[in-house]
Amino acid sequence: MDAGHPPPFPSLSTLGRARTVAIIQARLSSSRLPGKVLMDLGGDTLLSRVVRRTARARTLDQSVVATTTDPRDDAIITECARLGVLCLRGAEADVLDRYRDAATATDAQVVVRITADCPLIDPGLIDQVVDAFFHTHGADYASNTQFRTWPRGLDVEVFSRAALERAWVEAQEPWQRVHVTPYLYQHPELFRMHAVVAENKDHSDLRWTVDTPEDFALVQTLYRHLGNRDDFGWQEALTVVEREPELAGLNRHVRQKSLEEG
């Protein structure tokens, strides 16, 4: 990494609607469910579900997949070619560096962080967080994860290129680089933050991300109930869970790893 200060970027207020790129991080070497992003989810890969759902967000100029240089991830390159989405390669462990490279390659002025293990990601919710970022004067970072009110697995983080560059230079702890954004939200004295919360009921007790076989069983079941389409909204999935509350028990015991665990 270069020493000193990150390069200056113009204020978003002077740019109007800055170029906004969703970067979807994906790799095959998951510790608890290896190969999960290419597993079959109702007739298509889990990665394809995430890519297609993300691409429906109206606030995005582009969506790209950021994978690693590990030869095992050649299969992700092949899958992205099938899907017609750009796939870029970078460091495996230093995901912050991978994001910085992808942002540079796509000329992103605003980055939307999406992970490939969230096949229920909602384009409308992506738009809501992006809109909040742009409508919050001077925001460096906006997310629906600081104060969780949506199910885990609908996570959207939006941050400026300048904030990404500063984190890339200054973040030193391993978990700050593996998880991309901790340096931002751990330093509210440096970055202007905005939390997006749901107006109605808190559903943060629900787990819709895929880290384990139990997680995958849940999202498989939800997709099956919804006709194995990928154009449904998160509220439709919630309706299924509320109608059949036992579904949430499939993965209720799964523990989310701490930041330090990677």
Side-chain angles (χ1 to χ4, degrees):
M1 295 183 294
D2 296 334
H5 297 290
F9 282 84
S11 167
L12 294 181
S13 62
T14 67
L15 291 169
R17 193 69 166 189
R19 177 168 169 77
T20 304
V21 178
I23 300 176
I24 304 167
Q25 63 189 73
R27 65 188 178 106
L28 290 177
S29 57
S30 167
S31 60
R32 291 195 281 183
L33 190 59
K36 63 184 178 182
V37 300
L38 295 184
M39 292 173 67
D40 184 284
L41 178 56
D44 212 340
T45 63
L46 192 151
L47 177 60
S48 73
R49 302 297 194 178
V50 176
V51 166
R52 288 172 175 152
R53 291 176 69 85
T54 299
R56 292 191 180 99
R58 59 171 175 77
T59 53
L60 301 177
D61 294 296
Q62 186 178 5
S63 299
V64 301
V65 173
T67 192
T68 84
T69 55
D70 188 322
R72 289 174 291 183
D73 289 327
D74 290 351
I76 291 179
I77 297 288
T78 301
E79 174 66 355
C80 288
R82 181 183 77 86
L83 296 172
V85 63
L86 176 64
C87 188
L88 302 167
R89 307 190 86 154
E92 180 174 13
D94 192 345
V95 191
L96 176 57
D97 186 67
R98 202 191 316 168
Y99 264 74
R100 195 254 189 178
D101 285 349
T104 301
T106 58
D107 193 28
Q109 294 165 317
V110 173
V111 173
V112 181
R113 179 176 180 244
I114 304 291
T115 59
D117 53 6
C118 295
L120 276 73
I121 192 69
D122 189 284
L125 191 50
I126 293 173
D127 289 335
Q128 184 175 343
V129 181
V130 173
D131 282 338
F133 175 85
F134 278 106
H135 286 95
T136 301
H137 180 70
D140 297 302
Y141 172 90
S143 79
N144 63 352
T145 62
Q146 289 176 272
F147 301 100
R148 288 188 178 276
T149 53
W150 280 278
R152 185 178 293 275
L154 300 182
D155 299 7
V156 182
E157 295 179 284
V158 183
F159 42 94
S160 69
R161 174 75 173 278
L164 172 63
E165 292 285 349
R166 182 165 186 175
W168 180 78
V169 170
E170 298 179 0
Q172 299 298 322
E173 299 293 345
W175 66 83
Q176 293 173 334
R177 307 199 70 87
V178 169
H179 295 286
V180 182
T181 55
Y183 188 79
L184 303 183
Y185 58 74
Q186 290 174 347
H187 290 281
E189 77 282 4
L190 300 177
F191 303 100
R192 286 157 292 190
M193 323 294 286
H194 180 73
V196 181
V197 297
E199 296 180 357
N200 300 314
K201 188 176 178 181
D202 182 349
H203 296 291
S204 59
D205 60 315
L206 298 175
R207 180 182 174 84
W208 292 355
T209 189
V210 177
D211 285 325
T212 69
E214 295 90 341
D215 294 332
F216 188 69
L218 173 62
V219 298
Q220 272 188 315
T221 302
L222 289 174
Y223 262 81
R224 186 165 57 250
H225 276 278
L226 294 164
N228 286 323
R229 304 166 10 243
D230 58 23
D231 60 351
F232 58 86
W234 77 272
Q235 296 93 338
E236 293 177 76
L238 179 64
T239 297
V240 174
V241 172
E242 290 180 335
R243 187 174 64 236
E244 302 186 30
E246 68 277 7
L247 293 179
L250 291 175
N251 67 345
R252 194 182 303 280
H253 64 284
V254 175
R255 183 180 66 86
Q256 186 70 20
K257 286 185 175 181
S258 67
L259 287 178
E260 292 81 0
E261 290 178 287

